[in-house]
Amino acid sequence: MRVIGIDPGLRNLGWGVIDMEGSRLSHVANGICHGDGGTLAARLLSLHGQLTDIIGQYAPGAAAVEQTFVNKDGAGTLKLGQARGIALLVPAQFGLDVGEYAPNTVKKTVVGVGHAGKDQVAHMVRVQLPGVELAGADAADALAIAICHAHHGPARVLKEKVRA
């Protein structure tokens, strides 16, 4: 299965695509979408267009997005939430199942500790995807989200089927 991980951001939206064959993971591509434009609406439209092109090009079978954490800056959290809306909407437009993961879950899955720093996450992404060239910290985080989904996604789908 091919998975796209998305690290939402209004200025920089990280994305990373991996292939999963059994327990084997391999890197496909990663990058950063930049929210271009002077207004919030223009930046959201820019992110939507770029992410649509990426999903169209790499044709993932599933998507994973990091959940938003609320911080002291309410306005900043709201803007991040709008970028997260794009990160959820675009895969849904392609009919993809979208997993959502808390930042601590992603870090614990990839690094082993829930409060790991960005450098630790990037290092462990490089370890788990040998030879990967990271486009930046946001792309490393997106690959970590995809890795997290590769480990937790199948179990989550099974749980949902059992509940149904």
Side-chain angles (χ1 to χ4, degrees):
M1 177 184 348
R2 181 164 283 184
V3 178
I4 184 167
I6 303 169
D7 182 30
L10 196 52
R11 296 199 186 282
N12 298 313
L13 182 145
W15 61 273
V17 179
I18 62 170
D19 279 340
M20 179 177 119
E21 246 183 87
S23 61
R24 185 172 175 264
L25 303 178
S26 58
H27 174 258
V28 175
N30 71 88
I32 300 171
C33 299
H34 301 286
D36 299 324
T39 66
L40 176 61
R43 284 189 274 172
L44 291 171
L45 179 62
S46 173
L47 292 172
H48 182 277
Q50 292 173 68
L51 192 54
T52 297
D53 291 346
I54 290 160
I55 291 178
Q57 178 180 355
Y58 293 103
V65 177
E66 189 171 72
Q67 293 175 341
T68 303
F69 60 91
V70 179
N71 58 31
K72 294 176 187 172
D73 177 16
T77 301
L78 181 60
K79 287 178 182 176
L80 177 58
Q82 292 167 329
R84 191 170 174 277
I86 296 297
L88 292 167
L89 171 67
V90 174
Q93 288 179 315
F94 281 84
L96 300 180
D97 177 43
V98 182
E100 299 179 65
Y101 300 94
N104 283 351
T105 300
V106 173
K107 291 173 183 177
K108 191 166 188 173
T109 300
V110 175
V111 179
V113 289
H115 296 285
K118 283 196 174 280
D119 289 343
Q120 289 173 297
V121 170
H123 172 74
M124 289 307 294
V125 166
R126 285 187 188 98
V127 168
Q128 293 185 44
L129 302 171
V132 66
E133 293 288 329
L134 298 173
D138 298 306
D141 288 348
L143 285 168
I145 294 162
I147 292 168
C148 180
H149 187 71
H151 289 288
H152 295 284
R156 183 180 57 80
V157 170
L158 286 175
K159 279 185 196 174
E160 289 173 5
K161 285 182 180 178
V162 168
R163 275 190 252 153

